[in-house]
Amino acid sequence: MWSKVHWGVAGVVAVASLQAFLAPAHGQDRSRTPASAGPARSEKRAVVVTPDKRGAVLRAAATRPFSMLGVTWDDPAVRLVGTVEVRTRAAGTGEWSEWRTLDSEEGQGDETALRGGTDPLWVGLSDGAEVRVAASADEVSALPAGLQLDLIDPGRDAPAPQSARLPAAPAQGAPGTASAPRPAIVLRAGWGADESISPAAPAYLAGGKVKAVVVHHTADSNSFTCAQAPAVLRGIYAYHVQQLGWKDIGYNFLVDPCGTIYEGRKGGVDRPVLAAHAYGFNSQTTGVAVLGTYTTAAPSEAVLSSVARLAAWKLGQYGVDPTGTTTLTAGADGTNYFRKSWKLGAQLNFSTIHGHRDGYNTLCPGDQLYAELPTIRALAASSTVKTADEQAVPTPVPGSGD
């Protein structure tokens, strides 16, 4: 994150003077309205910028019910360098939360992107929000134009068809390669993905091979239950597609705190689907995001096990060692969290299971989850098994000349 922000006395006074009370449409009080039973829906509110364009604020004291929010801006190629803070009012009780910081390091996403934005934040059922934005004191640039608060109601869960869960399956891989069993995966229908909002056909990795798995966290709060995970996924999906203009949810797979694995971007869980999770390296990798934030909170053993089993299976499909390294070609100029920079076309060495921060300047996947990557690699290696074809190869007899 950023160590200094441009608040100051004058800035605070200027921001406070711009606070706006925004009533719901037609003057109706929706404070006790439940979440919608249909598809996800969103509400947008402009965030007012101070005259010096170094601060911005919004007070939306009455809104339609929502459970997820994010802040977006006009240009998807621009990064907001500063601090974005929000607080929300709980529906029913009227209590305001503490101020929470949004991670404003969301990647550029798909080429179809229409807006830039923070990571979305799950806040639980709410009916009011406040936002304050401050540019970093270390930067001279103003805040991005077109700042907007996006409020998302993910809708209620509907019964999922029995076919919406793909059961675990035995290992299958090319002869002579290490593989691993496919873990059970909840398909898109199982978490209620509204396919009508992302009609574009899926795309696949140009080389037809996954060379590495990139581990993420979604930077949400950790206040949701595993039973609410499908709603969290629908909120992320709606935010990526309807607010940022991506063609689909950005991650290939997602894992909830209880270790349940979900299909993310459509195109087939057993295929090398091109997603939008690791700017500059999407065309060679698959992305696995753990729901929640793991900057200070430790991931559960169930999370580590599921990420490892999923990574072992995906890499095993292509004969890739989960404890090894691989060379990826940079699809864009870039800088990572450790201040290593490169140019388009550079050949870079990565662990075959690595964190988002290794290839992009972001805190993702959080210090606690990043610290567990060696454990995940070891667990993934222990998940691999020899294929039936390799097991059938006879053991050479000593002295036979083989």
Side-chain angles (χ1 to χ4, degrees):
M1 266 305 170
W2 308 272
S3 58
K4 300 178 182 178
V5 294
H6 182 82
W7 274 109
V9 176
V12 171
V13 172
V15 171
S17 68
L18 287 169
Q19 288 190 341
F21 177 88
L22 299 180
H26 310 300
Q28 297 176 7
D29 180 6
R30 299 188 176 92
S31 62
R32 296 184 180 275
T33 306
S36 67
R41 65 185 185 188
S42 64
E43 185 175 354
K44 304 174 182 180
R45 301 290 182 94
V47 181
V48 183
V49 179
T50 58
D52 65 359
K53 298 184 179 180
R54 302 280 293 167
V57 71
L58 167 68
R59 184 170 190 266
T63 70
R64 293 183 176 91
F66 66 93
S67 296
M68 180 169 281
L69 57 74
V71 172
T72 62
W73 49 88
D74 288 345
D75 189 344
V78 170
R79 295 186 71 180
L80 191 157
V81 182
T83 299
V84 183
E85 295 179 298
V86 298
R87 68 172 188 154
T88 54
R89 186 177 65 193
T93 69
E95 295 182 4
W96 286 87
S97 71
E98 299 296 323
W99 287 98
R100 288 175 279 190
T101 301
L102 296 184
D103 189 342
S104 56
E105 297 170 343
E106 182 75 49
Q108 288 182 258
D110 282 313
E111 294 180 358
T112 59
L114 300 176
R115 296 179 65 79
T118 66
D119 283 317
L121 177 69
W122 180 265
V123 295
L125 189 59
S126 305
D127 58 15
E130 288 190 75
V131 181
R132 60 190 188 193
V133 185
S136 172
D138 297 331
E139 299 288 333
V140 297
S141 59
L143 294 174
L147 285 171
Q148 174 179 290
L149 172 65
D150 294 275
L151 307 172
I152 300 169
D153 167 15
R156 295 187 219 166
D157 291 321
Q162 291 184 351
S163 60
R165 186 178 182 91
L166 193 65
Q172 291 183 339
T177 66
S179 189
R182 184 188 68 210
I185 300 171
V186 176
L187 301 179
R188 288 166 64 92
W191 53 267
D194 178 2
E195 302 296 358
S196 70
I197 70 172
S198 59
Y204 298 92
L205 305 191
K209 177 180 179 179
V210 172
K211 299 178 69 175
V213 170
V214 184
V215 179
H216 305 258
H217 69 172
T218 59
D220 281 304
S221 68
N222 295 329
S223 61
F224 60 90
T225 66
C226 291
Q228 292 174 306
V232 176
L233 264 70
R234 292 195 301 274
I236 295 172
Y237 176 46
Y239 183 74
H240 283 176
V241 175
Q242 297 179 309
Q243 271 58 58
L244 300 182
W246 300 4
K247 65 185 293 183
D248 197 348
I249 193 169
Y251 310 110
N252 295 92
F253 300 93
L254 300 99
V255 178
D256 73 19
C258 294
T260 302
I261 300 171
Y262 299 86
E263 176 186 19
R265 181 159 293 209
K266 64 171 167 280
V269 297
D270 59 342
R271 301 186 65 185
V273 176
L274 175 66
H277 61 96
Y279 179 68
F281 301 101
N282 289 317
S283 64
Q284 303 152 84
T285 64
T286 195
V288 180
V290 181
L291 297 181
T293 183
Y294 297 94
T295 302
T296 58
S300 67
E301 291 185 6
V303 162
L304 301 182
S305 175
S306 290
V307 173
R309 288 185 291 112
L310 178 60
W313 171 62
K314 286 304 295 182
L315 294 175
Q317 287 184 297
Y318 307 97
V320 177
D321 180 0
T323 63
T325 60
T326 188
T327 300
L328 303 181
T329 303
D333 295 352
T335 301
N336 70 8
Y337 177 76
F338 307 103
R339 299 298 185 264
K340 178 181 179 180
S341 297
W342 54 84
K343 295 294 184 181
L344 170 68
Q347 300 289 298
L348 302 169
N349 194 50
F350 289 89
S351 296
T352 55
I353 300 175
H354 63 268
H356 189 195
R357 65 174 61 179
D358 292 319
Y360 192 73
N361 187 14
T362 175
L363 294 172
C364 182
D367 290 347
Q368 297 299 314
L369 182 53
Y370 189 80
E372 293 290 354
L373 291 181
T375 300
I376 290 173
R377 295 182 191 114
L379 289 171
S382 68
S383 298
T384 58
V385 297
K386 301 297 184 181
T387 65
D389 294 285
E390 188 171 5
Q391 290 173 344
V393 176
T395 302
V397 177
S400 67
D402 292 329

mmCIF file with all atom_site columns, all heavy atoms in Angstrom, residues 102-116:
data_model
loop_
_atom_site.group_PDB
_atom_site.id
_atom_site.type_symbol
_atom_site.label_atom_id
_atom_site.label_alt_id
_atom_site.label_comp_id
_atom_site.label_asym_id
_atom_site.label_entity_id
_atom_site.label_seq_id
_atom_site.pdbx_PDB_ins_code
_atom_site.Cartn_x
_atom_site.Cartn_y
_atom_site.Cartn_z
_atom_site.occupancy
_atom_site.B_iso_or_equiv
_atom_site.pdbx_formal_charge
_atom_site.auth_seq_id
_atom_site.auth_comp_id
_atom_site.auth_asym_id
_atom_site.auth_atom_id
_atom_site.pdbx_PDB_model_num
ATOM 1   N N   . LEU A 1 102 ? -9.958  -0.035  0.627   1.00 0.00 ? 102 LEU A N   1
ATOM 2   C CA  . LEU A 1 102 ? -10.080 -0.862  -0.567  1.00 0.00 ? 102 LEU A CA  1
ATOM 3   C C   . LEU A 1 102 ? -8.720  -0.989  -1.229  1.00 0.00 ? 102 LEU A C   1
ATOM 4   O O   . LEU A 1 102 ? -7.978  -0.005  -1.339  1.00 0.00 ? 102 LEU A O   1
ATOM 5   C CB  . LEU A 1 102 ? -11.061 -0.231  -1.570  1.00 0.00 ? 102 LEU A CB  1
ATOM 6   C CG  . LEU A 1 102 ? -12.518 -0.100  -1.148  1.00 0.00 ? 102 LEU A CG  1
ATOM 7   C CD1 . LEU A 1 102 ? -13.343 0.450   -2.305  1.00 0.00 ? 102 LEU A CD1 1
ATOM 8   C CD2 . LEU A 1 102 ? -13.080 -1.445  -0.718  1.00 0.00 ? 102 LEU A CD2 1
ATOM 9   N N   . ASP A 1 103 ? -8.411  -2.172  -1.695  1.00 0.00 ? 103 ASP A N   1
ATOM 10  C CA  . ASP A 1 103 ? -7.185  -2.399  -2.448  1.00 0.00 ? 103 ASP A CA  1
ATOM 11  C C   . ASP A 1 103 ? -7.376  -1.809  -3.840  1.00 0.00 ? 103 ASP A C   1
ATOM 12  O O   . ASP A 1 103 ? -8.212  -2.270  -4.611  1.00 0.00 ? 103 ASP A O   1
ATOM 13  C CB  . ASP A 1 103 ? -6.900  -3.899  -2.524  1.00 0.00 ? 103 ASP A CB  1
ATOM 14  C CG  . ASP A 1 103 ? -5.539  -4.211  -3.111  1.00 0.00 ? 103 ASP A CG  1
ATOM 15  O OD1 . ASP A 1 103 ? -4.964  -3.329  -3.754  1.00 0.00 ? 103 ASP A OD1 1
ATOM 16  O OD2 . ASP A 1 103 ? -5.067  -5.346  -2.921  1.00 0.00 ? 103 ASP A OD2 1
ATOM 17  N N   . SER A 1 104 ? -6.624  -0.762  -4.168  1.00 0.00 ? 104 SER A N   1
ATOM 18  C CA  . SER A 1 104 ? -6.790  -0.111  -5.469  1.00 0.00 ? 104 SER A CA  1
ATOM 19  C C   . SER A 1 104 ? -5.761  -0.595  -6.474  1.00 0.00 ? 104 SER A C   1
ATOM 20  O O   . SER A 1 104 ? -5.309  0.143   -7.339  1.00 0.00 ? 104 SER A O   1
ATOM 21  C CB  . SER A 1 104 ? -6.706  1.413   -5.326  1.00 0.00 ? 104 SER A CB  1
ATOM 22  O OG  . SER A 1 104 ? -5.500  1.794   -4.723  1.00 0.00 ? 104 SER A OG  1
ATOM 23  N N   . GLU A 1 105 ? -5.401  -1.874  -6.369  1.00 0.00 ? 105 GLU A N   1
ATOM 24  C CA  . GLU A 1 105 ? -4.392  -2.436  -7.256  1.00 0.00 ? 105 GLU A CA  1
ATOM 25  C C   . GLU A 1 105 ? -4.985  -3.481  -8.196  1.00 0.00 ? 105 GLU A C   1
ATOM 26  O O   . GLU A 1 105 ? -4.301  -4.372  -8.666  1.00 0.00 ? 105 GLU A O   1
ATOM 27  C CB  . GLU A 1 105 ? -3.261  -3.039  -6.427  1.00 0.00 ? 105 GLU A CB  1
ATOM 28  C CG  . GLU A 1 105 ? -2.537  -1.992  -5.587  1.00 0.00 ? 105 GLU A CG  1
ATOM 29  C CD  . GLU A 1 105 ? -1.588  -2.589  -4.583  1.00 0.00 ? 105 GLU A CD  1
ATOM 30  O OE1 . GLU A 1 105 ? -1.709  -3.791  -4.293  1.00 0.00 ? 105 GLU A OE1 1
ATOM 31  O OE2 . GLU A 1 105 ? -0.726  -1.861  -4.089  1.00 0.00 ? 105 GLU A OE2 1
ATOM 32  N N   . GLU A 1 106 ? -6.269  -3.404  -8.465  1.00 0.00 ? 106 GLU A N   1
ATOM 33  C CA  . GLU A 1 106 ? -6.902  -4.326  -9.416  1.00 0.00 ? 106 GLU A CA  1
ATOM 34  C C   . GLU A 1 106 ? -6.173  -4.215  -10.755 1.00 0.00 ? 106 GLU A C   1
ATOM 35  O O   . GLU A 1 106 ? -5.870  -3.128  -11.222 1.00 0.00 ? 106 GLU A O   1
ATOM 36  C CB  . GLU A 1 106 ? -8.370  -3.949  -9.599  1.00 0.00 ? 106 GLU A CB  1
ATOM 37  C CG  . GLU A 1 106 ? -9.143  -4.863  -10.539 1.00 0.00 ? 106 GLU A CG  1
ATOM 38  C CD  . GLU A 1 106 ? -9.457  -6.201  -9.899  1.00 0.00 ? 106 GLU A CD  1
ATOM 39  O OE1 . GLU A 1 106 ? -9.957  -6.236  -8.776  1.00 0.00 ? 106 GLU A OE1 1
ATOM 40  O OE2 . GLU A 1 106 ? -9.206  -7.214  -10.569 1.00 0.00 ? 106 GLU A OE2 1
ATOM 41  N N   . GLY A 1 107 ? -5.870  -5.349  -11.386 1.00 0.00 ? 107 GLY A N   1
ATOM 42  C CA  . GLY A 1 107 ? -5.157  -5.333  -12.660 1.00 0.00 ? 107 GLY A CA  1
ATOM 43  C C   . GLY A 1 107 ? -5.995  -4.755  -13.786 1.00 0.00 ? 107 GLY A C   1
ATOM 44  O O   . GLY A 1 107 ? -7.175  -4.456  -13.625 1.00 0.00 ? 107 GLY A O   1
ATOM 45  N N   . GLN A 1 108 ? -5.377  -4.633  -14.961 1.00 0.00 ? 108 GLN A N   1
ATOM 46  C CA  . GLN A 1 108 ? -6.080  -4.028  -16.090 1.00 0.00 ? 108 GLN A CA  1
ATOM 47  C C   . GLN A 1 108 ? -7.121  -4.958  -16.693 1.00 0.00 ? 108 GLN A C   1
ATOM 48  O O   . GLN A 1 108 ? -7.971  -4.515  -17.455 1.00 0.00 ? 108 GLN A O   1
ATOM 49  C CB  . GLN A 1 108 ? -5.067  -3.588  -17.152 1.00 0.00 ? 108 GLN A CB  1
ATOM 50  C CG  . GLN A 1 108 ? -4.266  -2.366  -16.720 1.00 0.00 ? 108 GLN A CG  1
ATOM 51  C CD  . GLN A 1 108 ? -3.292  -1.889  -17.787 1.00 0.00 ? 108 GLN A CD  1
ATOM 52  O OE1 . GLN A 1 108 ? -2.107  -2.143  -17.702 1.00 0.00 ? 108 GLN A OE1 1
ATOM 53  N NE2 . GLN A 1 108 ? -3.801  -1.208  -18.780 1.00 0.00 ? 108 GLN A NE2 1
ATOM 54  N N   . GLY A 1 109 ? -7.058  -6.221  -16.382 1.00 0.00 ? 109 GLY A N   1
ATOM 55  C CA  . GLY A 1 109 ? -8.115  -7.134  -16.802 1.00 0.00 ? 109 GLY A CA  1
ATOM 56  C C   . GLY A 1 109 ? -8.132  -7.400  -18.285 1.00 0.00 ? 109 GLY A C   1
ATOM 57  O O   . GLY A 1 109 ? -7.102  -7.424  -18.954 1.00 0.00 ? 109 GLY A O   1
ATOM 58  N N   . ASP A 1 110 ? -9.330  -7.602  -18.826 1.00 0.00 ? 110 ASP A N   1
ATOM 59  C CA  . ASP A 1 110 ? -9.486  -7.918  -20.239 1.00 0.00 ? 110 ASP A CA  1
ATOM 60  C C   . ASP A 1 110 ? -9.239  -6.707  -21.123 1.00 0.00 ? 110 ASP A C   1
ATOM 61  O O   . ASP A 1 110 ? -9.361  -5.557  -20.690 1.00 0.00 ? 110 ASP A O   1
ATOM 62  C CB  . ASP A 1 110 ? -10.917 -8.418  -20.499 1.00 0.00 ? 110 ASP A CB  1
ATOM 63  C CG  . ASP A 1 110 ? -11.111 -9.856  -20.082 1.00 0.00 ? 110 ASP A CG  1
ATOM 64  O OD1 . ASP A 1 110 ? -10.255 -10.694 -20.429 1.00 0.00 ? 110 ASP A OD1 1
ATOM 65  O OD2 . ASP A 1 110 ? -12.118 -10.150 -19.420 1.00 0.00 ? 110 ASP A OD2 1
ATOM 66  N N   . GLU A 1 111 ? -8.969  -6.983  -22.401 1.00 0.00 ? 111 GLU A N   1
ATOM 67  C CA  . GLU A 1 111 ? -8.835  -5.901  -23.371 1.00 0.00 ? 111 GLU A CA  1
ATOM 68  C C   . GLU A 1 111 ? -10.157 -5.170  -23.562 1.00 0.00 ? 111 GLU A C   1
ATOM 69  O O   . GLU A 1 111 ? -10.181 -4.037  -24.034 1.00 0.00 ? 111 GLU A O   1
ATOM 70  C CB  . GLU A 1 111 ? -8.347  -6.459  -24.712 1.00 0.00 ? 111 GLU A CB  1
ATOM 71  C CG  . GLU A 1 111 ? -6.927  -7.020  -24.665 1.00 0.00 ? 111 GLU A CG  1
ATOM 72  C CD  . GLU A 1 111 ? -6.470  -7.563  -25.999 1.00 0.00 ? 111 GLU A CD  1
ATOM 73  O OE1 . GLU A 1 111 ? -7.285  -7.541  -26.954 1.00 0.00 ? 111 GLU A OE1 1
ATOM 74  O OE2 . GLU A 1 111 ? -5.302  -8.000  -26.105 1.00 0.00 ? 111 GLU A OE2 1
ATOM 75  N N   . THR A 1 112 ? -11.241 -5.810  -23.184 1.00 0.00 ? 112 THR A N   1
ATOM 76  C CA  . THR A 1 112 ? -12.567 -5.189  -23.310 1.00 0.00 ? 112 THR A CA  1
ATOM 77  C C   . THR A 1 112 ? -12.861 -4.208  -22.182 1.00 0.00 ? 112 THR A C   1
ATOM 78  O O   . THR A 1 112 ? -13.914 -3.569  -22.187 1.00 0.00 ? 112 THR A O   1
ATOM 79  C CB  . THR A 1 112 ? -13.656 -6.274  -23.291 1.00 0.00 ? 112 THR A CB  1
ATOM 80  O OG1 . THR A 1 112 ? -13.568 -7.008  -22.054 1.00 0.00 ? 112 THR A OG1 1
ATOM 81  C CG2 . THR A 1 112 ? -13.494 -7.241  -24.458 1.00 0.00 ? 112 THR A CG2 1
ATOM 82  N N   . ALA A 1 113 ? -11.955 -4.101  -21.199 1.00 0.00 ? 113 ALA A N   1
ATOM 83  C CA  . ALA A 1 113 ? -12.215 -3.286  -20.006 1.00 0.00 ? 113 ALA A CA  1
ATOM 84  C C   . ALA A 1 113 ? -12.656 -1.874  -20.378 1.00 0.00 ? 113 ALA A C   1
ATOM 85  O O   . ALA A 1 113 ? -12.067 -1.226  -21.245 1.00 0.00 ? 113 ALA A O   1
ATOM 86  C CB  . ALA A 1 113 ? -10.973 -3.231  -19.128 1.00 0.00 ? 113 ALA A CB  1
ATOM 87  N N   . LEU A 1 114 ? -13.695 -1.401  -19.690 1.00 0.00 ? 114 LEU A N   1
ATOM 88  C CA  . LEU A 1 114 ? -14.228 -0.058  -19.923 1.00 0.00 ? 114 LEU A CA  1
ATOM 89  C C   . LEU A 1 114 ? -13.828 0.909   -18.822 1.00 0.00 ? 114 LEU A C   1
ATOM 90  O O   . LEU A 1 114 ? -13.799 2.121   -19.044 1.00 0.00 ? 114 LEU A O   1
ATOM 91  C CB  . LEU A 1 114 ? -15.761 -0.119  -20.019 1.00 0.00 ? 114 LEU A CB  1
ATOM 92  C CG  . LEU A 1 114 ? -16.332 -0.988  -21.138 1.00 0.00 ? 114 LEU A CG  1
ATOM 93  C CD1 . LEU A 1 114 ? -17.851 -1.019  -21.038 1.00 0.00 ? 114 LEU A CD1 1
ATOM 94  C CD2 . LEU A 1 114 ? -15.891 -0.465  -22.507 1.00 0.00 ? 114 LEU A CD2 1
ATOM 95  N N   . ARG A 1 115 ? -13.538 0.391   -17.612 1.00 0.00 ? 115 ARG A N   1
ATOM 96  C CA  . ARG A 1 115 ? -13.209 1.243   -16.482 1.00 0.00 ? 115 ARG A CA  1
ATOM 97  C C   . ARG A 1 115 ? -12.108 0.606   -15.647 1.00 0.00 ? 115 ARG A C   1
ATOM 98  O O   . ARG A 1 115 ? -11.926 -0.617  -15.666 1.00 0.00 ? 115 ARG A O   1
ATOM 99  C CB  . ARG A 1 115 ? -14.453 1.469   -15.587 1.00 0.00 ? 115 ARG A CB  1
ATOM 100 C CG  . ARG A 1 115 ? -15.581 2.211   -16.270 1.00 0.00 ? 115 ARG A CG  1
ATOM 101 C CD  . ARG A 1 115 ? -16.784 2.391   -15.355 1.00 0.00 ? 115 ARG A CD  1
ATOM 102 N NE  . ARG A 1 115 ? -16.500 3.239   -14.203 1.00 0.00 ? 115 ARG A NE  1
ATOM 103 C CZ  . ARG A 1 115 ? -16.457 4.571   -14.243 1.00 0.00 ? 115 ARG A CZ  1
ATOM 104 N NH1 . ARG A 1 115 ? -16.654 5.216   -15.382 1.00 0.00 ? 115 ARG A NH1 1
ATOM 105 N NH2 . ARG A 1 115 ? -16.223 5.258   -13.140 1.00 0.00 ? 115 ARG A NH2 1
ATOM 106 N N   . GLY A 1 116 ? -11.370 1.453   -14.925 1.00 0.00 ? 116 GLY A N   1
ATOM 107 C CA  . GLY A 1 116 ? -10.456 0.960   -13.923 1.00 0.00 ? 116 GLY A CA  1
ATOM 108 C C   . GLY A 1 116 ? -11.182 0.862   -12.603 1.00 0.00 ? 116 GLY A C   1
ATOM 109 O O   . GLY A 1 116 ? -12.267 1.440   -12.441 1.00 0.00 ? 116 GLY A O   1
#
